Amino acid sequence: MASAQQSKPPPSNEPQQPRQASGFRHPSNRKTIYDRNLNRSRTAELSRASFAYLFGEMVSYAQKRVSGIQDLEKRLNVQGYSLGLRLLDLLLYREPPRSAQRPTRILALLQLITTTLWKHLFARPADALERSKDKEDEYMISDNDPLVNQYISVPKEMNQLNCAAYVAGIVEGVCDGTGFMARVTAHGVGTEMWPGKTVFLIKFEPEVLEREGFLEKGK
């Protein structure tokens, strides 16, 4: 018996849709955020309403996953740390070629933080920079009215919470990224004129001071 041959279906005239490759999706112009010029948006400002909403949601998300104020501030610090590492590269990239160098001295680092970094984040420099009179490894940056605390409503039972721990994490990331290992913490020192005043305490590791001493002698 002859076997029956299956007839092939007639070719379709409808255009076939191309299969989407797995992985990252690209816009129609084939450009992503990584193709943008980093200097083009250097003067752009973020809406405060957008920042307030996003930061408030971030604090709320972290609060649901911790058991106390210290844990919450630690989580905010960790979140800011990774941002500080990335901001360092961005800020140095945007500097003029002659000055686009990582600081090698403590004072140069602190000037980068209190001016360039603060202006990038808050459109103004920090209010004060001081060195501890008792401990040579401690420096203090003062901000009379931190932006991160302006839109956060803290309940009475958490009145010791300072959301500026997020900024402290950013500063710590910049310090570590430049090779100045340090621990940065935020402390509320409100006054009658500035109830939200915060001091960022920077405590450098012993090896940082040792290196600073060698550089001082080599002048």
Side-chain angles (χ1 to χ4, degrees):
M1 294 178 61
S3 59
Q5 296 182 353
Q6 295 182 350
S7 60
K8 297 182 179 180
S12 175
N13 295 328
E14 296 180 359
Q16 296 182 355
Q17 296 292 335
R19 295 181 180 179
Q20 291 186 349
S22 59
F24 293 108
R25 297 180 61 186
H26 295 272
S28 58
N29 59 3
R30 306 299 298 173
K31 291 185 178 181
T32 67
I33 188 174
Y34 301 105
D35 298 308
R36 299 177 184 174
N37 191 321
L38 292 177
N39 284 323
R40 183 172 299 174
S41 59
R42 63 185 304 171
T43 58
E45 295 183 358
L46 175 68
S47 166
R48 284 202 174 191
S50 300
F51 168 79
Y53 175 76
L54 291 174
F55 187 71
E57 287 296 308
M58 187 176 70
V59 173
S60 178
Y61 177 85
Q63 182 182 357
K64 296 176 182 178
R65 287 158 177 80
V66 297
S67 58
I69 296 177
Q70 291 184 350
D71 291 340
L72 176 56
E73 290 183 346
K74 184 178 179 180
R75 181 178 285 266
L76 292 175
N77 186 284
V78 171
Q79 291 175 336
Y81 182 87
S82 59
L83 176 59
L85 292 174
R86 290 165 174 78
L87 273 179
L88 174 63
D89 292 332
L90 176 63
L91 296 177
L92 291 177
Y93 174 83
R94 287 177 172 174
E95 286 291 310
R98 293 183 179 180
S99 59
Q101 298 179 356
R102 292 175 183 266
T104 58
R105 303 295 298 272
I106 290 179
L107 183 58
L109 168 67
L110 296 176
Q111 289 176 341
L112 171 69
I113 293 173
T114 56
T115 56
T116 306
L117 175 66
W118 235 258
K119 288 180 180 179
H120 176 78
L121 293 175
F122 311 118
R124 60 175 178 81
D127 293 299
L129 170 63
E130 303 174 73
R131 184 175 183 175
S132 174
K133 298 179 180 179
D134 302 326
K135 300 180 180 179
E136 62 177 3
D137 61 342
E138 292 184 353
Y139 291 79
M140 293 164 286
I141 299 175
S142 297
D143 192 317
N144 292 335
D145 192 18
L147 179 65
V148 292
N149 289 342
Q150 295 179 15
Y151 304 101
I152 300 297
S153 179
V154 180
K156 293 182 179 181
E157 62 272 14
M158 300 181 66
N159 59 357
Q160 296 181 351
L161 172 66
N162 193 332
C163 293
Y166 179 73
V167 180
I170 296 177
V171 175
E172 186 172 332
V174 172
C175 290
D176 289 0
T178 52
F180 293 82
M181 309 305 292
R183 180 76 177 102
V184 185
T185 52
H187 305 272
V189 290
T191 63
E192 184 177 356
M193 180 178 294
W194 301 107
K197 182 177 181 179
T198 297
V199 170
F200 299 91
L201 178 63
I202 305 175
K203 185 177 180 61
F204 290 105
E205 296 293 337
E207 55 267 24
V208 174
L209 296 182
E210 184 179 357
R211 182 181 61 201
E212 187 77 8
F214 284 132
L215 293 175
E216 187 68 26
K217 293 179 181 179
K219 278 187 176 181

